[in-house]
Amino acid sequence: MSDPVVRPKSAGKTSRRSTQSVTLAEVAELAGVSAQTVSRALRTPEQVSEQTLVTVQKAVQSTGYVPNMTARNLASNRSMTVGALVPNLVGTIFTDVLSGLDETLSPNGYHLFVGTTGYDPEPEEEMIRAFLGRRPDGMVLTGTSHTRLARQMLSKANIPIIETLTLSGKPIDSLVGFSNSQAIRVLTESRITKGFKHPTFAGWLRDVDERANERLRGFQEAVTTKLPGEPLRFVNTEDLGISIEAGRYLAREVLMRHPETDLLVCSSDVFAEGAILEFVSRGIDVPGRIGVTGLGDFDLAKHLSPSLTTVLTPNKDVGRAAAEILLKAMASRRKTPGRVVRDLGFDIISRESA
Amino acid sequence: MSDPVVRPKSAGKTSRRSTQSVTLAEVAELAGVSAQTVSRALRTPEQVSEQTLVTVQKAVQSTGYVPNMTARNLASNRSMTVGALVPNLVGTIFTDVLSGLDETLSPNGYHLFVGTTGYDPEPEEEMIRAFLGRRPDGMVLTGTSHTRLARQMLSKANIPIIETLTLSGKPIDSLVGFSNSQAIRVLTESRITKGFKHPTFAGWLRDVDERANERLRGFQEAVTTKLPGEPLRFVNTEDLGISIEAGRYLAREVLMRHPETDLLVCSSDVFAEGAILEFVSRGIDVPGRIGVTGLGDFDLAKHLSPSLTTVLTPNKDVGRAAAEILLKAMASRRKTPGRVVRDLGFDIISRESA
């Protein structure tokens, strides 16, 4: 990519329009050196004398000059940015992934562009187009379910693409996550082994949320395998979103629609928290009358009474691992070598609730 | 869903240097028009015929070409980005602010650069330098406490700067938030009016966290005004961070160090949640023996037993309002006119816990 607009000379003149008021020329004037020397001191400090470096640094500090990395990055064909798309910024899972990405990328000079997509591939496609248009050096996505056009744009962008938080689907490039279906399958099977006989799945079930559907599939596999003949039951929050309130609703729903249920397998800790609070407030014995499980092991899980049996998912590690794969690939300016698929696993956390 | 393994022939050739494999020339070739015509169709569609537009659009879609906005934005002297710095991505308060920013900026074509600073002005200064170097069209910061050099860089960058989530301190440009000291003052005074006589403040108190210190000041003002002669008491989580566990620790601390306390005024809902869970698990009557208040009105507050008396803070509205001020200023390419200071207020939510 060539440098389409070289600015330095005109910068002083255009300062009324420019987004940056202090120019290289002003720094040079204050330091009593040429603009070229300032530029050299900032880009290749090893090429100027110690004394010049100190003089320039003082002038930079006292003027508050900030070197324009955009022009520099455009010239070097790197933006030093990574684009990350998550469904929302509310769920601990996604903000944990971003946190892991940020803490690994930032010390390496890369910064995060963050966008939210809802759980919907259509707005995601729009965001992908806008993000790729900013020429990031890498991109991180949630899940492997995208529109056909989004997949096409991503495969043709010659940058590493990391999809996260799932192991299912066909990855575009690299994939880092854990198996949502295995997590719920193993959890449900282990509770069936403990004696629960009539489990019901609870979640927010929609076509567009692939990870929720993977969890439902894991539940179905456990029931089919371990409890042949047992009907597959689920309760759906419909439009209540992911909230404790929605969990309370799910608890009431299961009592009304499937009173034979002795175990409520929730697709998220948030629902499980609400369900436990609802059952307890109604004087229903958890896990005596009905057990409850979650997924996420959020902050509240161990403090609930009864404490919550759940799955600890490696969210922050997913962010860190994605960042590490990206850093390696971006250093060599290539797609990730050999399409890394990294399974970070999960842990079943057995507590009082089931 | 397309097969990700099949790559266009040209991808191999250019992949070593370019971050984008599909070029304008390839789109032009497929469309059977000149590169200039493609460029015109993408930038000023009103200047080409309907038929040409359709042909070009088809070629863009089938090649997966993504126009380079970086070059375009550099030419127009706009990056169409906003930089946002928050202490972390864990607290609901900050992710709510980012959520409000994102949902307002994104439909207007602006994208968010997100960075985390801890609560520390030193790493924040580094981040501000790096962010300004990317020439954002605006910046959003948390609080008004920054290093001298950070303030200087921000004041000299000719872009709108919005500081958020406080009303205290000297704003660099515009300020959107609520008064943390007023929030805790009004809450504490109203509980004293209800009959509580020996309040103690609980939080994570450090020099660098200006907002936590404002809350402590609000508490001190309430006690000094309404309970003359009453000693000023507080308990500090030290290094336990902001977690339910830390709240449980604060509850144990207050029982041990200040057993005369009849009201625990927590600087965050998270601490209050932990304190209630700790008191209840010890069979201590809340609010009979000791009342508890929070700040934030997070999801759990109304579902706790006893439900939590707290302050509803307008986090998402802070993000939305900051974005609106930015959009207006960025449209005119100026600093925000007249240094807007917007107080979005707060609501006291009275529930069972105090």
Side-chain angles (χ1 to χ4, degrees):
Chain A
M1 210 183 285
S2 66
D3 188 345
V5 187
V6 180
R7 293 198 164 271
K9 252 178 288 170
S10 57
K13 269 193 274 177
T14 58
S15 67
R16 247 163 296 127
R17 292 196 50 250
S18 165
T19 57
Q20 178 67 12
S21 57
V22 182
T23 65
L24 196 72
E26 289 169 60
V27 176
E29 201 183 320
L30 187 67
V33 299
S34 71
Q36 259 183 322
T37 303
V38 174
S39 181
R40 205 158 41 227
L42 292 171
R43 288 178 189 227
T44 50
E46 66 281 4
Q47 286 181 19
V48 301
S49 72
E50 183 81 8
Q51 200 196 323
T52 305
L53 196 59
V54 171
T55 313
V56 169
Q57 277 169 350
K58 272 190 191 161
V60 165
Q61 290 227 346
S62 78
T63 55
Y65 175 74
V66 180
N68 186 341
M69 292 194 288
T70 309
R72 191 184 299 181
N73 294 337
L74 198 63
S76 72
N77 202 8
R78 292 196 178 202
S79 62
M80 298 303 287
T81 63
V82 167
L85 292 179
V86 290
N88 61 50
L89 290 167
V90 179
T92 315
I93 289 184
F94 309 123
T95 53
D96 276 356
V97 172
L98 292 177
S99 208
L101 278 171
D102 179 59
E103 74 178 39
T104 312
L105 290 173
S106 183
N108 286 282
Y110 286 89
H111 283 165
L112 260 192
F113 256 120
V114 172
T116 54
T117 63
Y119 285 84
D120 198 339
E122 296 295 335
E124 194 202 44
E125 179 187 308
E126 253 329 293
M127 294 294 279
I128 288 169
R129 187 176 291 110
F131 272 47
L132 288 178
R134 299 215 154 79
R135 299 296 185 263
D137 296 328
M139 272 202 74
V140 178
L141 303 157
T142 308
T144 54
S145 173
H146 319 287
T147 67
R148 191 191 55 79
L149 201 53
R151 290 185 70 87
Q152 190 182 23
M153 285 188 289
L154 290 166
S155 344
K156 291 191 179 178
N158 251 331
I159 54 169
I161 308 285
I162 322 276
E163 288 159 290
T164 62
L165 292 176
T166 180
L167 291 178
S168 74
K170 225 177 187 177
I172 294 165
D173 186 8
S174 284
L175 186 60
V176 181
F178 59 92
S179 168
N180 287 278
S181 62
Q182 277 299 307
I184 291 294
R185 181 183 175 146
V186 172
L187 174 69
T188 308
E189 287 183 353
S190 68
R191 298 311 108 171
I192 292 170
T193 305
K194 275 188 80 172
F196 292 98
K197 287 187 170 59
H198 308 295
T200 296
F201 187 80
W204 190 20
L205 303 168
R206 293 164 304 157
D207 284 349
V208 292
D209 186 357
E210 64 175 307
R211 287 171 309 288
N213 289 316
E214 284 171 40
R215 292 171 198 169
L216 175 60
R217 201 170 60 242
F219 172 80
Q220 288 171 331
E221 287 168 1
V223 173
T224 312
T225 312
K226 293 279 177 181
L227 298 169
E230 181 72 9
L232 291 168
R233 284 174 299 257
F234 65 88
V235 283
N236 191 347
T237 61
E238 310 287 351
D239 295 327
L240 286 176
I242 299 167
S243 64
I244 291 178
E245 191 61 52
R248 301 190 81 139
Y249 169 84
L250 290 167
R252 294 191 297 270
E253 281 286 290
V254 77
L255 291 177
M256 198 166 66
R257 296 182 193 278
H258 308 291
E260 69 277 28
T261 302
D262 64 0
L263 176 70
L264 192 64
V265 177
C266 298
S267 72
S268 157
D269 262 23
V270 179
F271 296 139
E273 292 163 5
I276 286 182
L277 291 167
E278 181 71 17
F279 289 139
V280 167
S281 77
R282 289 168 173 252
I284 294 171
D285 179 14
V286 178
R289 159 70 182 86
I290 186 165
V292 177
T293 65
L295 184 141
D297 196 28
F298 298 158
D299 195 19
L300 184 61
K302 64 169 163 293
H303 299 294
L304 277 171
S305 189
S307 59
L308 182 62
T309 290
T310 186
V311 183
L312 172 61
T313 62
N315 313 319
K316 205 163 182 181
D317 286 340
V318 166
R320 289 191 191 113
E324 277 156 21
I325 296 170
L326 277 179
L327 285 171
K328 212 172 278 180
M330 292 185 301
S332 61
R333 304 196 174 204
R334 301 182 54 170
K335 282 183 175 279
T336 59
R339 295 171 177 264
V340 182
V341 173
R342 191 166 295 169
D343 180 357
L344 296 182
F346 53 84
D347 290 304
I348 304 293
I349 311 289
S350 285
R351 298 202 184 95
E352 298 161 356
S353 70
Chain B
M1 220 180 272
S2 70
D3 185 346
V5 180
V6 179
R7 296 193 183 282
K9 255 175 279 165
S10 60
K13 266 195 277 180
T14 56
S15 65
R16 251 161 297 128
R17 292 199 56 251
S18 170
T19 57
Q20 177 68 12
S21 56
V22 182
T23 66
L24 196 71
E26 290 170 59
V27 177
E29 200 183 320
L30 188 68
V33 299
S34 70
Q36 259 184 321
T37 303
V38 173
S39 180
R40 206 158 41 228
L42 293 172
R43 288 176 190 229
T44 50
E46 67 281 5
Q47 287 182 18
V48 301
S49 73
E50 182 81 8
Q51 199 196 322
T52 305
L53 196 59
V54 170
T55 314
V56 169
Q57 277 168 349
K58 270 190 192 159
V60 165
Q61 290 228 346
S62 80
T63 55
Y65 175 73
V66 179
N68 186 340
M69 292 195 287
T70 309
R72 191 185 300 181
N73 292 338
L74 197 63
S76 71
N77 203 5
R78 294 199 180 201
S79 61
M80 299 304 286
T81 63
V82 167
L85 293 179
V86 291
N88 60 51
L89 290 167
V90 178
T92 316
I93 289 184
F94 309 122
T95 52
D96 276 356
V97 172
L98 291 177
S99 207
L101 278 171
D102 180 59
E103 72 177 40
T104 311
L105 290 172
S106 183
N108 286 282
Y110 286 88
H111 283 166
L112 259 193
F113 255 120
V114 173
T116 53
T117 63
Y119 284 85
D120 199 337
E122 296 294 335
E124 194 203 43
E125 179 187 308
E126 251 334 290
M127 294 294 279
I128 288 169
R129 186 175 292 109
F131 272 48
L132 287 178
R134 298 214 154 80
R135 299 295 186 262
D137 296 328
M139 272 203 74
V140 179
L141 303 158
T142 308
T144 53
S145 172
H146 320 287
T147 67
R148 191 190 56 79
L149 201 53
R151 291 186 70 87
Q152 190 182 22
M153 285 188 290
L154 290 165
S155 349
K156 291 195 177 173
N158 252 330
I159 55 169
I161 308 286
I162 321 275
E163 289 160 289
T164 62
L165 291 176
T166 181
L167 290 178
S168 73
K170 225 181 185 172
I172 295 165
D173 185 8
S174 284
L175 186 60
V176 181
F178 59 92
S179 169
N180 287 279
S181 62
Q182 277 298 307
I184 290 294
R185 180 183 175 145
V186 171
L187 174 69
T188 307
E189 286 183 352
S190 67
R191 295 314 107 172
I192 292 170
T193 303
K194 275 189 80 174
F196 292 97
K197 286 187 171 58
H198 308 294
T200 296
F201 187 80
W204 190 19
L205 302 169
R206 292 164 303 157
D207 284 350
V208 293
D209 187 356
E210 61 174 309
R211 288 170 308 289
N213 290 315
E214 283 170 40
R215 292 171 198 167
L216 175 60
R217 202 170 57 242
F219 173 78
Q220 289 171 330
E221 287 168 1
V223 173
T224 311
T225 311
K226 292 279 179 184
L227 297 169
E230 181 72 9
L232 292 168
R233 284 175 299 255
F234 65 88
V235 284
N236 190 348
T237 62
E238 311 287 349
D239 295 328
L240 287 174
I242 299 168
S243 64
I244 291 178
E245 191 62 51
R248 301 190 81 138
Y249 169 84
L250 289 168
R252 294 191 297 271
E253 281 286 290
V254 77
L255 292 177
M256 198 167 65
R257 295 183 194 276
H258 307 292
E260 70 277 27
T261 302
D262 64 358
L263 176 69
L264 192 64
V265 177
C266 298
S267 72
S268 157
D269 261 23
V270 178
F271 296 138
E273 291 163 4
I276 287 181
L277 291 166
E278 181 70 18
F279 289 139
V280 168
S281 78
R282 288 167 173 252
I284 294 171
D285 179 13
V286 178
R289 159 69 182 87
I290 187 165
V292 177
T293 65
L295 184 142
D297 196 29
F298 298 158
D299 196 17
L300 184 61
K302 64 170 163 292
H303 299 294
L304 277 171
S305 190
S307 59
L308 181 63
T309 289
T310 187
V311 183
L312 172 61
T313 62
N315 312 319
K316 207 163 181 180
D317 286 340
V318 166
R320 289 191 191 112
E324 278 156 19
I325 296 170
L326 278 179
L327 285 171
K328 212 171 278 179
M330 293 185 301
S332 62
R333 304 198 176 203
R334 301 180 54 173
K335 283 181 175 279
T336 59
R339 291 167 179 268
V340 182
V341 173
R342 192 166 295 169
D343 180 357
L344 296 181
F346 54 82
D347 289 305
I348 305 293
I349 311 290
S350 286
R351 298 201 185 95
E352 298 161 356
S353 71

